[in-house]
Amino acid sequence: MVILFQTKPSLLAGAAIVGPLESRSVFRSYFDVVAEDELFQEKTNERGQSRLITDTCQLVMDKAQIKNLDVDYFLSGDLVNQMTPTNFAARELAVSFIGLFSACATSVSSVIIASLLTELGASQLAIAGSSSHHNATERQFRYPVDYGAQKPATAQWTVTAAGYTLVGKYNPEFPYVVAATVGKVVDFNDTDPFHMGGAMAPAAYETITTHLKQRKQKIYDYDMIMTGDLGNIGLKLVKAMLAQDGISNDELKLIRDAGAEYYGEDKSFLAGASGAGCSASVFFSYVLSQFKTGRYKRVLLVATGALLSPLSFQQGESIPCTAHAIEIAMN
Amino acid sequence: MKQQQYKTIEQQITPATPYVLNAFKAFVVGGLICVIGQAIAFFYMIFFDFTEKTVGNPTVATMIFISMILTGFGLYRKLGQFAGAGSAVPVTGFGNAVISAAIEHKTEGLVLGVGSNMFKLAGSVIVFGTVSAFFVALIKTLLVMMGVLQW
């Protein structure tokens, strides 16, 4: 299902704050703050993540020179049970808030909802985005952080990062949302929680091909298509699927993945980065900045999410996945 | 794209698990941990009043203590990523499972956090260890009763 936005909701500002380990990221110079303390001066991982969210939102507001009461809606989510870090951050922001869960695809699904509210005229300014905290996420989905389990080469590293953007009415000086595709839930019966890239690749493929088909576009119409957190192997899988449809290698070079590039060539992160903060921190810092410099005129951002829980995996369920896309352009 | 078609592509692209290399690393690291354990056992036997039969308990306690220190400093998980079963199977792996869960749940308090979650990972080792020990003892008892074995 592709949505075409008539009023061109614009992304008026963006900010990303990351944890200490993310100083190793290739996108480091685009992040606004690299924190020195992984707890963000709080007592627990979860409170730290809350602080990470409020600080990032504050930075977005500072950049746009507004205060929290100027914001109409806060749309966001994270990966912790019941999304308490985001809910608690919303308590501090004190604006109308809807928590959204699309796992790691929340970075884009939140922008889609914010754009729809803007299009409707219900929102003048809305903050959208998502975050993840490595320790808070790992303890919930996998093992305790200090447990010495061997992860396979397909495993990915959940980032500690938050990325938020301010969605408002059309402003020609900023990139705007042209269209969006709300992804279906795709399940190709993958069951390995240490191979999320493999589980999510079909969802990314489905959303990319649907968007291009309904928009009657080719990959060449974009300066870049960037997926969220497929990782090295997931990215290869999406490219292999598209190659089977007869898409040339030159075109496939325009497809990049935030998770695969996040930590550069560092092998200790295995297949790359993941987490709701991975796509958000890259999309709303690096990608938006590339519009400013004029390098990009049109990109497709495809955030991917694995909709599993530790319970569903232990009960033998497969991993359903989704991918949401926004087409962003700037004149 | 059909699911079957995708599975073929996925198998081609996903790197195979290097079982032989992993087994080799596990053998070397696991072996080294056992060598250290043996050295500690000799230490207790030479400098303290322990015999080969009684030295097991203090040796295991010392090994677990070392593994707990390493876990606390975040080093055991790095060893685990390299060694796999080599660092998970020896008793030090058991210590790591206990202390990592304890550290993790410290934020939920001593009773509901540390107390009730400490054996979250290691609990299954205790359950299946006890159960299998019971059955091994039962089999041996039967064999002794039949005169096949002696105690």
Side-chain angles (χ1 to χ4, degrees), chain A residues 139 144-148 150-151 154 188-190 195 198 202 237 240 244, chain B residues 1 3 5-7 10 13-14 74 77 81-82 84 96 104-105 108 121:
Chain A
R139 65 175 288 183
V145 174
D146 280 314
Y147 180 59
Q150 191 174 40
K151 290 179 181 167
T154 51
F188 274 14
N189 211 21
D190 277 65
H195 190 8
L237 286 166
Q244 287 221 333
Chain B
M1 168 113 0
Q3 191 175 318
Q5 223 178 332
Y6 177 67
K7 290 283 169 203
E10 196 180 15
I13 289 177
T14 305
R77 75 174 159 181
Q81 179 59 34
F82 175 80
N96 168 247
E104 189 94 347
H105 291 278
E108 292 102 271
L121 290 169

PDB file of all heavy atoms in Angstrom, chain A residues 139 144-148 150-151 154 188-190 195 198 202 237 240 244, chain B residues 1 3 5-7 10 13-14 74 77 81-82 84 96 104-105 108 121:
ATOM      1  N   ARG A 139      19.534  -8.130  27.144  1.00  0.00           N
ATOM      2  CA  ARG A 139      19.082  -8.880  28.316  1.00  0.00           C
ATOM      3  C   ARG A 139      17.661  -9.386  28.117  1.00  0.00           C
ATOM      4  O   ARG A 139      17.267 -10.382  28.708  1.00  0.00           O
ATOM      5  CB  ARG A 139      19.164  -8.022  29.581  1.00  0.00           C
ATOM      6  CG  ARG A 139      18.237  -6.849  29.589  1.00  0.00           C
ATOM      7  CD  ARG A 139      18.294  -6.129  30.907  1.00  0.00           C
ATOM      8  NE  ARG A 139      17.651  -6.910  31.949  1.00  0.00           N
ATOM      9  CZ  ARG A 139      17.496  -6.515  33.195  1.00  0.00           C
ATOM     10  NH1 ARG A 139      17.958  -5.344  33.558  1.00  0.00           N
ATOM     11  NH2 ARG A 139      16.890  -7.250  34.078  1.00  0.00           N
ATOM     12  N   PRO A 144      22.133 -12.675  29.322  1.00  0.00           N
ATOM     13  CA  PRO A 144      22.743 -11.560  30.040  1.00  0.00           C
ATOM     14  C   PRO A 144      23.971 -11.066  29.266  1.00  0.00           C
ATOM     15  O   PRO A 144      24.637 -11.860  28.588  1.00  0.00           O
ATOM     16  CB  PRO A 144      23.162 -12.192  31.374  1.00  0.00           C
ATOM     17  CG  PRO A 144      22.246 -13.343  31.560  1.00  0.00           C
ATOM     18  CD  PRO A 144      21.971 -13.866  30.194  1.00  0.00           C
ATOM     19  N   VAL A 145      24.238  -9.783  29.368  1.00  0.00           N
ATOM     20  CA  VAL A 145      25.293  -9.173  28.559  1.00  0.00           C
ATOM     21  C   VAL A 145      26.654  -9.845  28.777  1.00  0.00           C
ATOM     22  O   VAL A 145      27.413 -10.047  27.832  1.00  0.00           O
ATOM     23  CB  VAL A 145      25.382  -7.663  28.881  1.00  0.00           C
ATOM     24  CG1 VAL A 145      26.558  -7.026  28.167  1.00  0.00           C
ATOM     25  CG2 VAL A 145      24.086  -6.970  28.468  1.00  0.00           C
ATOM     26  N   ASP A 146      26.942 -10.237  30.019  1.00  0.00           N
ATOM     27  CA  ASP A 146      28.260 -10.799  30.311  1.00  0.00           C
ATOM     28  C   ASP A 146      28.335 -12.313  30.158  1.00  0.00           C
ATOM     29  O   ASP A 146      29.342 -12.919  30.494  1.00  0.00           O
ATOM     30  CB  ASP A 146      28.694 -10.407  31.731  1.00  0.00           C
ATOM     31  CG  ASP A 146      29.228  -8.988  31.755  1.00  0.00           C
ATOM     32  OD1 ASP A 146      30.029  -8.667  30.871  1.00  0.00           O
ATOM     33  OD2 ASP A 146      28.833  -8.212  32.644  1.00  0.00           O
ATOM     34  N   TYR A 147      27.273 -12.930  29.655  1.00  0.00           N
ATOM     35  CA  TYR A 147      27.290 -14.376  29.466  1.00  0.00           C
ATOM     36  C   TYR A 147      28.132 -14.727  28.233  1.00  0.00           C
ATOM     37  O   TYR A 147      27.969 -14.118  27.182  1.00  0.00           O
ATOM     38  CB  TYR A 147      25.860 -14.902  29.316  1.00  0.00           C
ATOM     39  CG  TYR A 147      25.784 -16.393  29.127  1.00  0.00           C
ATOM     40  CD1 TYR A 147      26.295 -17.248  30.088  1.00  0.00           C
ATOM     41  CD2 TYR A 147      25.201 -16.944  27.998  1.00  0.00           C
ATOM     42  CE1 TYR A 147      26.236 -18.613  29.923  1.00  0.00           C
ATOM     43  CE2 TYR A 147      25.127 -18.312  27.828  1.00  0.00           C
ATOM     44  CZ  TYR A 147      25.656 -19.150  28.793  1.00  0.00           C
ATOM     45  OH  TYR A 147      25.597 -20.502  28.632  1.00  0.00           O
ATOM     46  N   GLY A 148      29.017 -15.687  28.406  1.00  0.00           N
ATOM     47  CA  GLY A 148      29.969 -16.005  27.336  1.00  0.00           C
ATOM     48  C   GLY A 148      29.452 -17.000  26.328  1.00  0.00           C
ATOM     49  O   GLY A 148      29.983 -18.094  26.212  1.00  0.00           O
ATOM     50  N   GLN A 150      28.789 -18.108  22.409  1.00  0.00           N
ATOM     51  CA  GLN A 150      29.401 -17.842  21.099  1.00  0.00           C
ATOM     52  C   GLN A 150      28.311 -17.506  20.086  1.00  0.00           C
ATOM     53  O   GLN A 150      27.377 -18.275  19.899  1.00  0.00           O
ATOM     54  CB  GLN A 150      30.162 -19.077  20.641  1.00  0.00           C
ATOM     55  CG  GLN A 150      31.048 -18.829  19.440  1.00  0.00           C
ATOM     56  CD  GLN A 150      31.894 -20.051  19.112  1.00  0.00           C
ATOM     57  OE1 GLN A 150      31.420 -21.181  19.186  1.00  0.00           O
ATOM     58  NE2 GLN A 150      33.136 -19.826  18.757  1.00  0.00           N
ATOM     59  N   LYS A 151      28.445 -16.341  19.452  1.00  0.00           N
ATOM     60  CA  LYS A 151      27.459 -15.956  18.446  1.00  0.00           C
ATOM     61  C   LYS A 151      27.987 -16.306  17.065  1.00  0.00           C
ATOM     62  O   LYS A 151      29.176 -16.135  16.796  1.00  0.00           O
ATOM     63  CB  LYS A 151      27.193 -14.454  18.526  1.00  0.00           C
ATOM     64  CG  LYS A 151      26.438 -14.053  19.769  1.00  0.00           C
ATOM     65  CD  LYS A 151      26.227 -12.559  19.808  1.00  0.00           C
ATOM     66  CE  LYS A 151      25.496 -12.163  21.078  1.00  0.00           C
ATOM     67  NZ  LYS A 151      25.533 -10.726  21.293  1.00  0.00           N
ATOM     68  N   THR A 154      26.454 -14.778  11.568  1.00  0.00           N
ATOM     69  CA  THR A 154      25.254 -14.122  11.052  1.00  0.00           C
ATOM     70  C   THR A 154      24.633 -13.189  12.087  1.00  0.00           C
ATOM     71  O   THR A 154      23.721 -12.427  11.765  1.00  0.00           O
ATOM     72  CB  THR A 154      24.197 -15.177  10.673  1.00  0.00           C
ATOM     73  OG1 THR A 154      24.040 -16.061  11.789  1.00  0.00           O
ATOM     74  CG2 THR A 154      24.616 -15.975   9.455  1.00  0.00           C
ATOM     75  N   PHE A 188       9.046 -16.003   5.907  1.00  0.00           N
ATOM     76  CA  PHE A 188       9.517 -17.106   5.067  1.00  0.00           C
ATOM     77  C   PHE A 188       9.997 -18.272   5.915  1.00  0.00           C
ATOM     78  O   PHE A 188      10.857 -19.036   5.524  1.00  0.00           O
ATOM     79  CB  PHE A 188      10.631 -16.618   4.124  1.00  0.00           C
ATOM     80  CG  PHE A 188      10.093 -16.030   2.844  1.00  0.00           C
ATOM     81  CD1 PHE A 188       8.763 -15.702   2.716  1.00  0.00           C
ATOM     82  CD2 PHE A 188      10.927 -15.813   1.752  1.00  0.00           C
ATOM     83  CE1 PHE A 188       8.249 -15.164   1.545  1.00  0.00           C
ATOM     84  CE2 PHE A 188      10.439 -15.278   0.570  1.00  0.00           C
ATOM     85  CZ  PHE A 188       9.096 -14.951   0.468  1.00  0.00           C
ATOM     86  N   ASN A 189       9.439 -18.347   7.113  1.00  0.00           N
ATOM     87  CA  ASN A 189       9.697 -19.489   7.989  1.00  0.00           C
ATOM     88  C   ASN A 189      11.142 -19.590   8.468  1.00  0.00           C
ATOM     89  O   ASN A 189      11.655 -20.673   8.677  1.00  0.00           O
ATOM     90  CB  ASN A 189       9.268 -20.780   7.289  1.00  0.00           C
ATOM     91  CG  ASN A 189       8.793 -21.808   8.286  1.00  0.00           C
ATOM     92  OD1 ASN A 189       8.418 -21.442   9.408  1.00  0.00           O
ATOM     93  ND2 ASN A 189       8.838 -23.064   7.911  1.00  0.00           N
ATOM     94  N   ASP A 190      11.797 -18.438   8.647  1.00  0.00           N
ATOM     95  CA  ASP A 190      13.126 -18.454   9.266  1.00  0.00           C
ATOM     96  C   ASP A 190      12.933 -18.501  10.779  1.00  0.00           C
ATOM     97  O   ASP A 190      12.049 -17.835  11.311  1.00  0.00           O
ATOM     98  CB  ASP A 190      13.903 -17.194   8.896  1.00  0.00           C
ATOM     99  CG  ASP A 190      14.569 -17.328   7.544  1.00  0.00           C
ATOM    100  OD1 ASP A 190      13.832 -17.432   6.535  1.00  0.00           O
ATOM    101  OD2 ASP A 190      15.798 -17.348   7.495  1.00  0.00           O
ATOM    102  N   HIS A 195      20.093 -14.923  13.138  1.00  0.00           N
ATOM    103  CA  HIS A 195      20.222 -14.642  11.702  1.00  0.00           C
ATOM    104  C   HIS A 195      19.027 -13.784  11.263  1.00  0.00           C
ATOM    105  O   HIS A 195      18.239 -14.180  10.420  1.00  0.00           O
ATOM    106  CB  HIS A 195      20.290 -15.957  10.908  1.00  0.00           C
ATOM    107  CG  HIS A 195      20.656 -15.767   9.469  1.00  0.00           C
ATOM    108  ND1 HIS A 195      21.060 -14.551   8.954  1.00  0.00           N
ATOM    109  CD2 HIS A 195      20.677 -16.639   8.430  1.00  0.00           C
ATOM    110  CE1 HIS A 195      21.310 -14.692   7.653  1.00  0.00           C
ATOM    111  NE2 HIS A 195      21.080 -15.951   7.322  1.00  0.00           N
ATOM    112  N   GLY A 198      18.633 -12.706   7.515  1.00  0.00           N
ATOM    113  CA  GLY A 198      18.004 -13.704   6.654  1.00  0.00           C
ATOM    114  C   GLY A 198      16.494 -13.681   6.784  1.00  0.00           C
ATOM    115  O   GLY A 198      15.763 -13.875   5.815  1.00  0.00           O
ATOM    116  N   PRO A 202      13.430 -10.927   3.024  1.00  0.00           N
ATOM    117  CA  PRO A 202      12.240 -11.012   2.173  1.00  0.00           C
ATOM    118  C   PRO A 202      11.263  -9.844   2.402  1.00  0.00           C
ATOM    119  O   PRO A 202      10.630  -9.375   1.448  1.00  0.00           O
ATOM    120  CB  PRO A 202      11.591 -12.337   2.586  1.00  0.00           C
ATOM    121  CG  PRO A 202      12.702 -13.142   3.162  1.00  0.00           C
ATOM    122  CD  PRO A 202      13.608 -12.157   3.828  1.00  0.00           C
ATOM    123  N   LEU A 237      21.451 -10.836   0.592  1.00  0.00           N
ATOM    124  CA  LEU A 237      20.258 -11.619   0.252  1.00  0.00           C
ATOM    125  C   LEU A 237      19.251 -10.781  -0.530  1.00  0.00           C
ATOM    126  O   LEU A 237      18.679 -11.248  -1.518  1.00  0.00           O
ATOM    127  CB  LEU A 237      19.615 -12.174   1.530  1.00  0.00           C
ATOM    128  CG  LEU A 237      20.364 -13.339   2.174  1.00  0.00           C
ATOM    129  CD1 LEU A 237      19.879 -13.598   3.591  1.00  0.00           C
ATOM    130  CD2 LEU A 237      20.178 -14.592   1.332  1.00  0.00           C
ATOM    131  N   ALA A 240      20.546 -10.352  -3.945  1.00  0.00           N
ATOM    132  CA  ALA A 240      20.425 -11.593  -4.718  1.00  0.00           C
ATOM    133  C   ALA A 240      18.997 -11.794  -5.204  1.00  0.00           C
ATOM    134  O   ALA A 240      18.762 -12.236  -6.330  1.00  0.00           O
ATOM    135  CB  ALA A 240      20.865 -12.781  -3.867  1.00  0.00           C
ATOM    136  N   GLN A 244      17.699 -11.695  -9.196  1.00  0.00           N
ATOM    137  CA  GLN A 244      16.896 -12.735  -9.864  1.00  0.00           C
ATOM    138  C   GLN A 244      15.770 -12.134 -10.681  1.00  0.00           C
ATOM    139  O   GLN A 244      15.256 -12.758 -11.596  1.00  0.00           O
ATOM    140  CB  GLN A 244      16.339 -13.693  -8.814  1.00  0.00           C
ATOM    141  CG  GLN A 244      17.404 -14.606  -8.236  1.00  0.00           C
ATOM    142  CD  GLN A 244      16.905 -16.022  -8.063  1.00  0.00           C
ATOM    143  OE1 GLN A 244      15.713 -16.249  -7.890  1.00  0.00           O
ATOM    144  NE2 GLN A 244      17.802 -16.988  -8.124  1.00  0.00           N
TER     145      GLN A 244
ATOM    146  N   MET B   1       8.801 -13.712  -5.204  1.00  0.00           N
ATOM    147  CA  MET B   1       9.790 -14.753  -4.839  1.00  0.00           C
ATOM    148  C   MET B   1       9.151 -15.789  -3.929  1.00  0.00           C
ATOM    149  O   MET B   1       8.539 -15.458  -2.930  1.00  0.00           O
ATOM    150  CB  MET B   1      10.986 -14.080  -4.175  1.00  0.00           C
ATOM    151  CG  MET B   1      11.921 -15.029  -3.495  1.00  0.00           C
ATOM    152  SD  MET B   1      13.582 -15.250  -4.135  1.00  0.00           S
ATOM    153  CE  MET B   1      13.747 -14.210  -5.519  1.00  0.00           C
ATOM    154  N   GLN B   3       9.032 -18.971  -1.280  1.00  0.00           N
ATOM    155  CA  GLN B   3       9.798 -19.304  -0.084  1.00  0.00           C
ATOM    156  C   GLN B   3      10.900 -20.321  -0.377  1.00  0.00           C
ATOM    157  O   GLN B   3      12.024 -20.178   0.087  1.00  0.00           O
ATOM    158  CB  GLN B   3       8.823 -19.858   0.959  1.00  0.00           C
ATOM    159  CG  GLN B   3       9.439 -19.992   2.331  1.00  0.00           C
ATOM    160  CD  GLN B   3       8.413 -20.418   3.358  1.00  0.00           C
ATOM    161  OE1 GLN B   3       7.296 -19.938   3.357  1.00  0.00           O
ATOM    162  NE2 GLN B   3       8.783 -21.338   4.217  1.00  0.00           N
ATOM    163  N   GLN B   5      12.419 -20.905  -3.218  1.00  0.00           N
ATOM    164  CA  GLN B   5      13.459 -20.244  -4.002  1.00  0.00           C
ATOM    165  C   GLN B   5      14.387 -19.447  -3.078  1.00  0.00           C
ATOM    166  O   GLN B   5      15.601 -19.456  -3.231  1.00  0.00           O
ATOM    167  CB  GLN B   5      12.754 -19.273  -4.949  1.00  0.00           C
ATOM    168  CG  GLN B   5      13.269 -19.244  -6.350  1.00  0.00           C
ATOM    169  CD  GLN B   5      12.414 -18.264  -7.146  1.00  0.00           C
ATOM    170  OE1 GLN B   5      11.235 -18.058  -6.834  1.00  0.00           O
ATOM    171  NE2 GLN B   5      12.997 -17.659  -8.149  1.00  0.00           N
ATOM    172  N   TYR B   6      13.761 -18.756  -2.119  1.00  0.00           N
ATOM    173  CA  TYR B   6      14.531 -17.926  -1.184  1.00  0.00           C
ATOM    174  C   TYR B   6      15.454 -18.783  -0.323  1.00  0.00           C
ATOM    175  O   TYR B   6      16.608 -18.433  -0.084  1.00  0.00           O
ATOM    176  CB  TYR B   6      13.593 -17.109  -0.299  1.00  0.00           C
ATOM    177  CG  TYR B   6      14.341 -16.297   0.740  1.00  0.00           C
ATOM    178  CD1 TYR B   6      15.165 -15.238   0.356  1.00  0.00           C
ATOM    179  CD2 TYR B   6      14.241 -16.596   2.090  1.00  0.00           C
ATOM    180  CE1 TYR B   6      15.868 -14.508   1.297  1.00  0.00           C
ATOM    181  CE2 TYR B   6      14.947 -15.864   3.034  1.00  0.00           C
ATOM    182  CZ  TYR B   6      15.753 -14.823   2.635  1.00  0.00           C
ATOM    183  OH  TYR B   6      16.462 -14.103   3.559  1.00  0.00           O
ATOM    184  N   LYS B   7      14.934 -19.919   0.111  1.00  0.00           N
ATOM    185  CA  LYS B   7      15.741 -20.796   0.970  1.00  0.00           C
ATOM    186  C   LYS B   7      17.015 -21.230   0.240  1.00  0.00           C
ATOM    187  O   LYS B   7      18.075 -21.362   0.865  1.00  0.00           O
ATOM    188  CB  LYS B   7      14.933 -22.039   1.382  1.00  0.00           C
ATOM    189  CG  LYS B   7      13.808 -21.728   2.340  1.00  0.00           C
ATOM    190  CD  LYS B   7      14.296 -21.500   3.762  1.00  0.00           C
ATOM    191  CE  LYS B   7      13.192 -20.929   4.616  1.00  0.00           C
ATOM    192  NZ  LYS B   7      13.641 -20.205   5.784  1.00  0.00           N
ATOM    193  N   GLU B  10      19.323 -18.272   0.282  1.00  0.00           N
ATOM    194  CA  GLU B  10      19.781 -18.047   1.652  1.00  0.00           C
ATOM    195  C   GLU B  10      20.893 -19.032   2.029  1.00  0.00           C
ATOM    196  O   GLU B  10      21.890 -18.654   2.629  1.00  0.00           O
ATOM    197  CB  GLU B  10      18.600 -18.180   2.621  1.00  0.00           C
ATOM    198  CG  GLU B  10      18.891 -17.590   3.993  1.00  0.00           C
ATOM    199  CD  GLU B  10      17.723 -17.724   4.960  1.00  0.00           C
ATOM    200  OE1 GLU B  10      16.792 -18.502   4.688  1.00  0.00           O
ATOM    201  OE2 GLU B  10      17.761 -17.055   6.001  1.00  0.00           O
ATOM    202  N   ILE B  13      24.206 -18.018   0.345  1.00  0.00           N
ATOM    203  CA  ILE B  13      24.850 -16.783   0.800  1.00  0.00           C
ATOM    204  C   ILE B  13      25.272 -16.818   2.265  1.00  0.00           C
ATOM    205  O   ILE B  13      26.311 -16.281   2.629  1.00  0.00           O
ATOM    206  CB  ILE B  13      23.923 -15.574   0.487  1.00  0.00           C
ATOM    207  CG1 ILE B  13      23.919 -15.346  -1.029  1.00  0.00           C
ATOM    208  CG2 ILE B  13      24.377 -14.319   1.232  1.00  0.00           C
ATOM    209  CD1 ILE B  13      23.013 -14.261  -1.501  1.00  0.00           C
ATOM    210  N   THR B  14      24.470 -17.473   3.091  1.00  0.00           N
ATOM    211  CA  THR B  14      24.806 -17.525   4.516  1.00  0.00           C
ATOM    212  C   THR B  14      26.095 -18.324   4.720  1.00  0.00           C
ATOM    213  O   THR B  14      26.192 -19.452   4.267  1.00  0.00           O
ATOM    214  CB  THR B  14      23.662 -18.190   5.307  1.00  0.00           C
ATOM    215  OG1 THR B  14      22.460 -17.473   5.017  1.00  0.00           O
ATOM    216  CG2 THR B  14      23.923 -18.143   6.804  1.00  0.00           C
ATOM    217  N   GLY B  74      34.016  -8.285  32.326  1.00  0.00           N
ATOM    218  CA  GLY B  74      33.554  -8.388  30.934  1.00  0.00           C
ATOM    219  C   GLY B  74      34.504  -9.149  30.035  1.00  0.00           C
ATOM    220  O   GLY B  74      34.439  -9.029  28.808  1.00  0.00           O
ATOM    221  N   ARG B  77      32.993 -13.088  28.437  1.00  0.00           N
ATOM    222  CA  ARG B  77      32.161 -13.141  27.214  1.00  0.00           C
ATOM    223  C   ARG B  77      33.036 -13.048  25.968  1.00  0.00           C
ATOM    224  O   ARG B  77      32.713 -13.611  24.931  1.00  0.00           O
ATOM    225  CB  ARG B  77      31.098 -12.066  27.230  1.00  0.00           C
ATOM    226  CG  ARG B  77      31.633 -10.710  26.952  1.00  0.00           C
ATOM    227  CD  ARG B  77      30.608  -9.674  26.818  1.00  0.00           C
ATOM    228  NE  ARG B  77      31.331  -8.434  27.063  1.00  0.00           N
ATOM    229  CZ  ARG B  77      30.807  -7.236  27.070  1.00  0.00           C
ATOM    230  NH1 ARG B  77      29.549  -7.096  26.879  1.00  0.00           N
ATOM    231  NH2 ARG B  77      31.536  -6.188  27.275  1.00  0.00           N
ATOM    232  N   GLN B  81      33.139 -15.905  23.082  1.00  0.00           N
ATOM    233  CA  GLN B  81      32.946 -15.695  21.645  1.00  0.00           C
ATOM    234  C   GLN B  81      34.034 -16.419  20.858  1.00  0.00           C
ATOM    235  O   GLN B  81      33.794 -16.961  19.793  1.00  0.00           O
ATOM    236  CB  GLN B  81      32.961 -14.195  21.316  1.00  0.00           C
ATOM    237  CG  GLN B  81      32.801 -13.849  19.852  1.00  0.00           C
ATOM    238  CD  GLN B  81      31.493 -14.376  19.258  1.00  0.00           C
ATOM    239  OE1 GLN B  81      30.464 -14.439  19.918  1.00  0.00           O
ATOM    240  NE2 GLN B  81      31.536 -14.784  18.009  1.00  0.00           N
ATOM    241  N   PHE B  82      35.248 -16.483  21.429  1.00  0.00           N
ATOM    242  CA  PHE B  82      36.351 -17.154  20.745  1.00  0.00           C
ATOM    243  C   PHE B  82      36.256 -18.668  20.924  1.00  0.00           C
ATOM    244  O   PHE B  82      36.344 -19.428  19.964  1.00  0.00           O
ATOM    245  CB  PHE B  82      37.689 -16.635  21.285  1.00  0.00           C
ATOM    246  CG  PHE B  82      38.883 -17.361  20.721  1.00  0.00           C
ATOM    247  CD1 PHE B  82      39.356 -17.042  19.455  1.00  0.00           C
ATOM    248  CD2 PHE B  82      39.517 -18.358  21.452  1.00  0.00           C
ATOM    249  CE1 PHE B  82      40.444 -17.717  18.922  1.00  0.00           C
ATOM    250  CE2 PHE B  82      40.611 -19.033  20.914  1.00  0.00           C
ATOM    251  CZ  PHE B  82      41.071 -18.712  19.648  1.00  0.00           C
ATOM    252  N   GLY B  84      33.758 -20.707  22.426  1.00  0.00           N
ATOM    253  CA  GLY B  84      32.499 -21.456  22.329  1.00  0.00           C
ATOM    254  C   GLY B  84      32.364 -22.454  23.459  1.00  0.00           C
ATOM    255  O   GLY B  84      32.474 -22.110  24.633  1.00  0.00           O
ATOM    256  N   ASN B  96      30.202 -18.467  35.103  1.00  0.00           N
ATOM    257  CA  ASN B  96      29.885 -17.331  34.236  1.00  0.00           C
ATOM    258  C   ASN B  96      28.377 -17.172  34.054  1.00  0.00           C
ATOM    259  O   ASN B  96      27.842 -16.056  34.122  1.00  0.00           O
ATOM    260  CB  ASN B  96      30.581 -17.531  32.882  1.00  0.00           C
ATOM    261  CG  ASN B  96      30.100 -16.576  31.817  1.00  0.00           C
ATOM    262  OD1 ASN B  96      29.483 -16.969  30.844  1.00  0.00           O
ATOM    263  ND2 ASN B  96      30.371 -15.295  32.015  1.00  0.00           N
ATOM    264  N   GLU B 104      23.265  -8.891  35.827  1.00  0.00           N
ATOM    265  CA  GLU B 104      22.222  -8.356  34.958  1.00  0.00           C
ATOM    266  C   GLU B 104      20.985  -7.920  35.747  1.00  0.00           C
ATOM    267  O   GLU B 104      20.361  -6.917  35.451  1.00  0.00           O
ATOM    268  CB  GLU B 104      21.837  -9.465  33.970  1.00  0.00           C
ATOM    269  CG  GLU B 104      20.946  -9.010  32.879  1.00  0.00           C
ATOM    270  CD  GLU B 104      21.728  -8.634  31.659  1.00  0.00           C
ATOM    271  OE1 GLU B 104      22.968  -8.497  31.724  1.00  0.00           O
ATOM    272  OE2 GLU B 104      21.104  -8.463  30.618  1.00  0.00           O
ATOM    273  N   HIS B 105      20.622  -8.711  36.758  1.00  0.00           N
ATOM    274  CA  HIS B 105      19.355  -8.457  37.446  1.00  0.00           C
ATOM    275  C   HIS B 105      19.518  -7.682  38.755  1.00  0.00           C
ATOM    276  O   HIS B 105      18.584  -7.583  39.533  1.00  0.00           O
ATOM    277  CB  HIS B 105      18.610  -9.775  37.672  1.00  0.00           C
ATOM    278  CG  HIS B 105      18.121 -10.368  36.387  1.00  0.00           C
ATOM    279  ND1 HIS B 105      16.960  -9.952  35.777  1.00  0.00           N
ATOM    280  CD2 HIS B 105      18.669 -11.283  35.563  1.00  0.00           C
ATOM    281  CE1 HIS B 105      16.806 -10.617  34.643  1.00  0.00           C
ATOM    282  NE2 HIS B 105      17.825 -11.424  34.484  1.00  0.00           N
ATOM    283  N   GLU B 108      16.998  -4.951  39.701  1.00  0.00           N
ATOM    284  CA  GLU B 108      15.645  -5.258  40.182  1.00  0.00           C
ATOM    285  C   GLU B 108      15.643  -5.638  41.658  1.00  0.00           C
ATOM    286  O   GLU B 108      14.660  -6.175  42.161  1.00  0.00           O
ATOM    287  CB  GLU B 108      15.013  -6.385  39.356  1.00  0.00           C
ATOM    288  CG  GLU B 108      14.689  -6.004  37.930  1.00  0.00           C
ATOM    289  CD  GLU B 108      15.719  -6.554  36.966  1.00  0.00           C
ATOM    290  OE1 GLU B 108      16.725  -5.845  36.718  1.00  0.00           O
ATOM    291  OE2 GLU B 108      15.561  -7.680  36.491  1.00  0.00           O
ATOM    292  N   LEU B 121      19.988 -19.159  33.839  1.00  0.00           N
ATOM    293  CA  LEU B 121      20.691 -19.918  32.803  1.00  0.00           C
ATOM    294  C   LEU B 121      21.248 -21.221  33.361  1.00  0.00           C
ATOM    295  O   LEU B 121      21.185 -22.259  32.723  1.00  0.00           O
ATOM    296  CB  LEU B 121      21.842 -19.085  32.232  1.00  0.00           C
ATOM    297  CG  LEU B 121      21.465 -17.888  31.384  1.00  0.00           C
ATOM    298  CD1 LEU B 121      22.694 -17.040  31.148  1.00  0.00           C
ATOM    299  CD2 LEU B 121      20.867 -18.328  30.072  1.00  0.00           C
TER     300      LEU B 121
END
